[in-house]
Amino acid sequence: MRERRVAIGWIQSTVRDPAQREVLFDLDSARRQIFEREGKTAEFDLLTKSLANLQRSWAEIQEQAGLPHRI
């Protein structure tokens, strides 16, 4: 008898708006290219900080994750 194994999963973005996700992707791509070309520079650090700030601003944390709800 053959045994079948199945794995089911999904990925859910914390950023709902596709246009915002595209901006985050583009910033991250530019940040990585700068790092590959020039290493850790002031421009790389600025893009990294801006990317993190936008991610925090745009993220929607799901209550289902068991995280405390902010009021």
Side-chain angles (χ1 to χ4, degrees):
M1 179 189 265
R2 296 178 105 182
E3 181 179 324
R4 291 186 181 193
R5 295 181 183 198
V6 177
I8 299 173
W10 69 90
I11 297 174
Q12 182 176 353
S13 177
T14 58
V15 178
R16 185 183 304 246
D17 186 328
Q20 290 174 333
R21 286 197 306 271
E22 184 176 3
V23 168
L24 293 174
F25 177 81
D26 291 346
L27 281 173
D28 188 51
S29 296
R31 183 182 73 92
R32 289 172 187 263
Q33 289 172 12
I34 287 173
F35 186 79
E36 287 176 12
R37 207 173 43 238
E38 303 170 24
K40 190 172 175 344
T41 63
E43 290 81 8
F44 172 81
D45 288 344
L46 184 60
L47 280 171
T48 299
K49 182 177 103 174
S50 298
L51 180 63
N53 286 337
L54 283 174
Q55 287 173 327
R56 277 193 296 273
S57 294
W58 292 343
E60 296 179 13
I61 298 175
Q62 302 294 320
E63 290 182 38
Q64 301 161 344
L67 300 173
H69 180 68
R70 290 186 179 175
I71 298 176

